[in-house]
Amino acid sequence: MRAFLLTALCFGLSTLSAADVEVAVDGVDAVKGALLVGFFDNADDFQIPGKEVEGSPEIEVTEAGRIVCTMKDLKPGVYAVAVIWDLNNNGILDTGTFKRPREAYGFSLNPKVKFTAPKFEECSFVVTEAGGKLQVTLLK
């Protein structure tokens, strides 16, 4: 009986469809740089450059205001998003004294950020086959 349930569960998970997740980023007040929208699927890789889910969007900023992008074909599961407004297009979040960010950044679910970056669990959300929409407000 257990083998049947395990087989049924595995078959069911393997047939889940990929979803599209729309991310609206608020706080872009100049035409400069790019938005790096990193989707992460586990706590160990969260916020580590190069560890984003493949296909995470990078959007050139061509207008000020709300910027909307879509992550396509995301497998259902638990994710967190980190956004960097990369003003100088160097692919990283530039920091200054005491590692204080010099560029705007934000996270899914807009957690309060005090002295350190939030944890994966504070930003995580569930993606279903239906996909969904997120809103991220940049912090400066």
Side-chain angles (χ1 to χ4, degrees):
M1 181 67 162
R2 278 189 179 172
F4 172 76
L5 289 175
L6 182 59
T7 302
L9 178 62
C10 290
F11 178 74
L13 289 176
S14 68
T15 61
L16 292 176
S17 298
D20 294 345
V21 176
E22 182 181 284
V23 180
V25 180
D26 291 321
V28 177
D29 56 9
V31 179
K32 187 174 184 180
L35 289 178
L36 308 179
V37 183
F39 277 76
F40 297 87
D41 60 3
N42 67 75
D44 292 336
D45 293 341
F46 187 50
Q47 300 182 53
I48 298 175
K51 297 288 188 168
E52 305 88 356
V53 171
E54 187 176 335
S56 289
E58 182 175 327
I59 313 301
E60 182 181 350
V61 176
T62 58
E63 61 184 85
R66 176 176 269 196
I67 306 289
V68 178
C69 64
T70 302
M71 176 66 169
K72 299 219 177 258
D73 300 325
L74 200 59
K75 293 179 184 172
V78 177
Y79 295 88
V81 171
V83 178
I84 298 171
W85 184 7
D86 186 15
L87 296 171
N88 58 3
N89 291 311
N90 67 352
I92 61 171
L93 177 65
D94 293 323
T95 59
T97 308
F98 304 112
K99 299 211 177 233
R100 182 180 163 98
R102 290 184 175 167
E103 296 173 312
Y105 60 93
F107 302 96
S108 47
L109 306 183
N110 297 305
K112 294 219 183 263
V113 177
K114 295 184 181 177
F115 300 108
T116 62
K119 296 184 185 323
F120 180 83
E121 294 76 18
E122 296 174 89
C123 306
S124 62
F125 57 94
V126 176
V127 173
T128 65
E129 289 183 75
K133 295 182 179 187
L134 292 172
Q135 183 277 331
V136 175
T137 301
L138 293 176
L139 304 169
K140 298 177 183 177

